[in-house]
Amino acid sequence: MAAAESPSAALRRRDLCSRGIRLAGKMRADVVDLLDAYVEQQGLDASASVAAMEGVPLAAVERWDEQTGTQRLLENLAAYRAFRTLLAQMLEEQREQLGEADAGLGRALAAVLLQVSAFAYHLEELLRLESRGIPGEEGDGPPPPPRLSLFEQKLRGLGVLRELAQWAVRSVRDLRQLGKPSSAAGTAPGLAESP
Amino acid sequence: MYLSLFTEIMCSMFSRWNWVACGFYLVLNICSPDASGGLVQSCGHIIPESPVLALGSNFTALCILNESCLDFGNIYASQIIWKIKNKLVPKEQYREINRTVSSVTFNDTSSLATPLTCNILADGQIEQNIYGITVTVGLAPEKPKNLSCIVHQESVLTYVMNCTWNPGRHTFLDTQFRLRHSWPEEIFPDCIPKDVNNSCTITDIQFFVNTEIWVEATNALGKAESDPLVVDPIDIVKPLSPQNVSVSSGVLPTVLQLCWVNWISDAVMMLKFNIRYRIVGETNWMEVPSEDTASTRTSFIVQGLRPYTEYAFSIRCMKEDGVGYWSDWSEEKTGMTTEAQPSKGPPIWRIIDTSHSPAFWTVHLLWKALKPFEANGVILQYEVTIRDKSSPSSPVKKYNVTSTNHTLQLREGTYEVTLVARNSVGSSPPSVLLIPASNSKAPVKNLRTLPKHDKLWVGWTAPNSYVLKYVIEWCLVSSSSDCIIEWQIALGGVQGVDLKGPSKGPTVQTKKVGKAEAVLTWNHLTVEEQNGFIRNYTILYKTIDGNETVVTVDPSKTEYTLSSLTSDTLYTVRMMASTDNGSRTGPDFTFTTQKFGKGEIEAIVVPVCLAFLLIVLLGVLFCFNKRDLIKKHIWPIVPDPSKSNIAQWSPQVPAKHNFSSKDQTYPEGSFTDVSVVEIEADDKKSFSEQDLKPFDLLKKEKSTSEGHSSGIGGSSCMSSPRQSVSDSDEGDTTQNTSSTVQYSTVVLNGYRDQTPVQVFSRSESTQPLLDSEERSEDHAGGADSTAQRQQYFRQNGGQDETNTDRPCFERTKQITHANEGDLVGFVQLQISGQSSQPLGLGMEKNTQEAAVSNVLQTCTEGQTVRPETVEENPLSVDEMPKSYLPQTVRQGGYMPQ
């Protein structure tokens, strides 16, 4: 079954997975650093709990180990696309609030945003390798968020970053699962046969 | 400019026309607005306007004449000539397209230059410019090649990517390079190089995504792109070297632990390392096997080191998988292994002296100090144990010794001597020496020696029986010293050994270098370096191209004078120490002999100076002898009729200081009583001891208060060179204030510093003295006192030369209002001598020495006293000014070179 994948495709897949794992690892490290800076700069309590917010994808999932590879990729892709939008919005709000006053935080946010974009690209490439259509972005994009107060914006930012850190951990596990030789067969049993 | 000129010439050209037509032409050409709204209208233009052309391509330009000019100027395209920078383009390249358009074609643009002008040959000969264009010739950019990038880590979180490329040939045009990079779905801002065209640094780097990087070169002739480089920036990282490296000694004496901090987080990349180390003082590095350091870590234990040895370490790192670049080596850190017990016992031997009595021995036990790698630490003491084998019951004797020998008095017998060396960790294995009652061993045969290189080889024939080791004893056979026995141990298997020569040669240097000789000095070698007794030293010296000269020197000396050297020549000298066992040469030393010998310059200069002085002296004597003759010729005495007074002429008055020459000059006796008095300005003898006393007092006062007058005095002196009679010294008042003056000055001043001959002629006139006369008299008196003071100052010697202008201050104090306050204080200070002089003022003296010299010349005009370099009063230590030069000069111990 696994023989259906050409050696170059397998190599490419492995490369994408390992690179994606490392990118997710670095992203998590950067997001954790950014969280500290964000909490301090926004004057928030680091231990404040933030309720689940609309539009922020949750990393926690039931029966994670039962998911297929494609399912993992699609969920990841959807989540990172959502984060891309959310982070871009945060960056915009950040600029509006502070202007150039805290360029360091802005730069860190932009760097994480870039990493999220890059990770989304990795996921798309992996989906392409599996001959899977890549879902359109517009349809899956979250609805425009309601106008929030300044404090709500801050809390929302905190929630986004926390959830992104969670997602980075989950993505590493997802990609490791995908990188396993057996998972290639498991992910798309029907795809290999399809001409 | 072209147009106005053109108009002017057109007017002269059409001179045969009437002036009205010309005026109309001018109006048309200059004042009529053209289509574009300008004030002037050209008679034509060139297409294309200011082109940029590829070098080597062909090019055609068209010159299009305006219809208006055809009407008035009778100008047609056939008259057009083309020029490149005032050089005519051959007519073969022209083509007349119609009556208003001419073209020119260049097959190779490399022949083009700026400007290219279209001109008209009006009236068959008058050439006038119609239009000109600027032509730029260059090349399209080449495709940039060899693009390569390195990501440099700048801090824990900052990475920048520097890319370099080959920009290709020079384009002769303004060519812009831009480094571009993108992700498949994201294009980043361009990196535009500053001041260079072959490198650029991107500061926004994201890892783990393949990034496409390429270079674009653009100029007016085109655009070229390099091949893209697709790389994940993480694969081209040059990390920072490990920081905060520390070395600590471990539990074992052969290990050292290294700790460091990695400046790159594990989330970014895992690292592998290279660790290198060397013994401090050595140059060769050893490296820890790379497989031992192939993973991320922050410490490592280096093993297999020598105890009690200082090592230097440095570390570098790179990405664990080997993709990327090694960091620089970290800075070196040193650490020392701990001591271990000595690894072997010291070699031991004995010399038995039985000269007093055969039954009682004086046993000299000798051993050699362990080498550092055997001692493994600092040897604190040696423990010598003597066991009498002939009487086992006798107690074992133990001695703790810190030197490397020990002398014992023993009864004849068989003894076992055991020696251990001890350091802070422990003891060495014992060295055992058996001293038999009688030597039963047969001596080795065929002992022979042979000089070999720097050593003396000793060979022998081994006996048949098993030999554990040999001991070779030797001593220096010399008439100057006793035979002091040296020894060396050789292992049993060998039949020859090289006796060690000196381990180093003496370091020679010059003590003094003259014209033909040089004094060389050196230090004795230490006992450890000698490895025996120095038999002699050999000095080898040579010029660069000359033969080497060899001199043998007695070993007791540490100095030798090389003679018969060539002057002004570079010599190389080295020195060899020789023992019986060999020789060793020390480092080369070079020196250059002097060009002139000691006293040679003086031998030339002194006679020349003496001869000069002699000539001057003779000249002065000659002038002195012939002064009357000179006077007669240069400044003859002209009788002043207004001063004649016949009524008071008194023939009875005897002629006092008559010179016969005057009588000869005026035989009629028109001057019946003319006396000439010569007063030497520097006549010290004319002052008695009594006269000098007040100055001595003053001198003492001044000793306590150093003259601090240089700056102020200098300027005030210069500003008022004249003084009034009433201002002169008190001691001179009787002389100077006299209203009836008997003398008028005939000759006042000497020339500059020459001793003036002041000649006074007696006059019967009752007229008041002219100012100059008063001054001269005052000066005569003042000068004397000044001379006197200056003499005092010179005697005093402790005063600096600035004091010599003091009389000037005193005389000028009333007329120099600007400095009055200062000067009054000054004079008080000098006279009372009660207040000590501030040290700071004394410093001015040095800087204003030149000014003082001038002042002296002004104030002591006509004096023979000249500014001299005057010795300072020695100051006490705490009085010393905090100044470098004066200190050294004053102390006289050291002159800065």
Side-chain angles (χ1 to χ4, degrees), chain B residues 307-555:
Chain B
Y308 199 62
T309 307
E310 192 176 18
Y311 286 89
F313 294 87
S314 85
I315 312 174
R316 64 177 183 176
C317 62
M318 78 175 295
K319 196 152 148 269
E320 192 176 27
D321 58 7
V323 181
Y325 299 90
W326 279 108
S327 71
D328 295 326
W329 286 103
S330 70
E331 62 171 332
E332 284 178 33
K333 287 283 162 152
T334 58
M336 195 154 184
T337 47
T338 53
E339 287 190 25
Q341 59 189 44
S343 58
K344 62 178 272 194
I348 184 169
W349 188 232
R350 86 290 178 275
I351 292 164
I352 300 170
D353 185 0
T354 56
S355 57
H356 297 297
S357 156
F360 288 94
W361 296 346
T362 303
V363 179
H364 301 284
L365 294 174
L366 309 162
W367 57 92
K368 298 199 186 275
L370 291 171
K371 296 189 172 65
F373 61 86
E374 296 164 341
N376 291 340
V378 181
I379 299 298
L380 301 172
Q381 64 179 23
Y382 299 95
E383 195 176 284
V384 184
T385 311
I386 314 287
R387 184 174 286 119
D388 190 347
K389 300 284 269 188
S390 36
S391 60
S393 58
S394 62
V396 174
K397 293 177 188 162
K398 282 192 175 181
Y399 306 93
N400 287 330
V401 186
T402 52
S403 64
T404 54
N405 58 66
H406 190 60
T407 301
L408 295 164
Q409 301 293 333
L410 295 175
R411 190 184 292 273
E412 184 186 10
T414 300
Y415 295 92
E416 187 188 75
V417 180
T418 309
L419 175 73
V420 294
R422 188 164 284 163
N423 65 14
S424 67
V425 175
S427 302
S428 68
S431 299
V432 181
L433 175 73
L434 191 73
I435 304 176
S438 60
N439 194 354
S440 57
K441 298 270 188 305
V444 296
K445 285 173 186 154
N446 297 334
L447 192 65
R448 58 203 181 273
T449 61
L450 200 67
K452 205 168 94 180
H453 306 301
D454 283 352
K455 295 175 176 176
L456 190 72
W457 177 83
V458 181
W460 58 86
T461 303
N464 292 330
S465 55
Y466 170 74
V467 175
L468 186 65
K469 56 176 96 170
Y470 296 99
V471 176
I472 303 114
E473 279 184 355
W474 75 90
C475 78
L476 174 69
V477 182
S478 164
S479 56
S480 60
S481 64
D482 297 333
C483 172
I484 299 170
I485 290 172
E486 287 278 305
W487 57 281
Q488 186 172 329
I489 289 176
L491 291 177
V494 301
Q495 294 190 21
V497 71
D498 289 329
L499 295 185
K500 290 169 196 159
S503 63
K504 63 178 274 194
T507 303
V508 68
Q509 55 185 334
T510 53
K511 189 178 175 185
K512 207 171 91 183
V513 179
K515 183 186 175 187
E517 69 286 323
V519 182
L520 304 177
T521 61
W522 59 90
N523 291 325
H524 283 304
L525 296 178
T526 61
V527 176
E528 290 80 3
E529 290 166 344
Q530 287 180 17
N531 283 336
F533 294 92
I534 302 293
R535 178 176 272 184
N536 58 47
Y537 291 118
T538 310
I539 297 172
L540 306 106
Y541 67 97
K542 60 171 184 177
T543 58
I544 283 177
D545 48 0
N547 290 330
E548 198 166 65
T549 312
V550 178
V551 181
T552 307
V553 185
D554 191 80

Side-chain angles (χ1 to χ4, degrees), chain B residues 676-887:
Chain B
V676 176
V677 180
E678 289 183 25
I679 299 171
E680 269 196 44
D682 201 9
D683 190 4
K684 300 175 185 80
K685 288 177 186 169
S686 62
F687 290 86
S688 65
E689 288 296 315
Q690 203 74 17
D691 296 322
L692 286 169
K693 271 185 183 169
F695 295 110
D696 285 334
L697 277 173
L698 191 63
K699 177 174 79 179
K700 281 168 190 161
E701 289 161 5
K702 284 179 64 176
S703 303
T704 59
S705 61
E706 267 193 37
H708 51 133
S709 54
S710 60
I712 312 157
S715 60
S716 60
C717 245
M718 293 296 281
S719 62
S720 58
R722 292 176 53 156
Q723 67 268 342
S724 68
V725 171
S726 60
D727 289 339
S728 61
D729 292 341
E730 282 177 11
D732 300 333
T733 48
T734 51
Q735 209 178 38
N736 294 332
T737 53
S738 163
S739 59
T740 321
V741 180
Q742 297 292 317
Y743 298 95
S744 65
T745 307
V746 176
V747 177
L748 176 61
N749 294 330
Y751 175 68
R752 294 198 174 170
D753 294 342
Q754 289 175 15
T755 306
V757 178
Q758 295 189 337
V759 182
F760 294 178
S761 65
R762 190 178 184 94
S763 169
E764 300 297 333
S765 172
T766 55
Q767 287 182 350
L769 283 170
L770 295 175
D771 183 48
S772 63
E773 289 169 351
E774 286 180 32
R775 190 153 41 91
S776 69
E777 285 214 2
D778 172 45
H779 197 96
D784 287 344
S785 68
T786 309
Q788 178 59 39
R789 282 179 187 170
Q790 285 177 345
Q791 184 190 8
Y792 146 65
F793 289 135
R794 291 208 286 185
Q795 285 171 347
N796 187 19
Q799 297 298 328
D800 60 67
E801 60 208 283
T802 56
N803 287 337
T804 56
D805 60 359
R806 190 172 54 166
C808 174
F809 289 140
E810 289 173 1
R811 282 175 295 172
T812 57
K813 66 188 180 219
Q814 289 175 11
I815 56 168
T816 316
H817 300 292
N819 293 326
E820 196 170 24
D822 296 338
L823 290 175
V824 168
F826 219 121
V827 170
Q828 283 171 351
L829 185 73
Q830 287 174 335
I831 291 171
S832 69
Q834 285 170 353
S835 59
S836 61
Q837 179 212 348
L839 276 171
L841 281 170
M843 296 296 293
E844 292 179 16
K845 161 183 55 60
N846 293 311
T847 56
Q848 301 195 5
E849 199 172 71
V852 168
S853 304
N854 293 334
V855 169
L856 277 174
Q857 298 222 344
T858 313
C859 296
T860 60
E861 193 177 7
Q863 305 286 327
T864 53
V865 177
R866 297 173 68 85
E868 293 175 7
T869 308
V870 182
E871 201 182 315
E872 294 277 339
N873 247 352
L875 294 172
S876 67
V877 173
D878 41 356
E879 277 178 326
M880 285 291 186
K882 298 279 184 288
S883 164
Y884 172 68
L885 194 60
Q887 278 186 346

Side-chain angles (χ1 to χ4, degrees), chain B residues 69-107:
Chain B
C69 289
L70 299 186
D71 298 341
F72 289 96
N74 220 9
I75 304 167
Y76 299 101
S78 59
Q79 292 166 283
I80 284 175
I81 54 169
W82 292 85
K83 281 181 144 186
I84 302 168
K85 216 176 181 179
N86 297 330
K87 199 177 145 201
L88 198 67
V89 178
K91 294 242 162 114
E92 298 80 54
Q93 292 174 238
Y94 304 171
R95 201 161 71 85
E96 187 186 345
I97 290 168
N98 58 34
R99 70 187 200 110
T100 58
V101 180
S102 168
S103 75
V104 64
T105 302
F106 300 91
N107 287 331

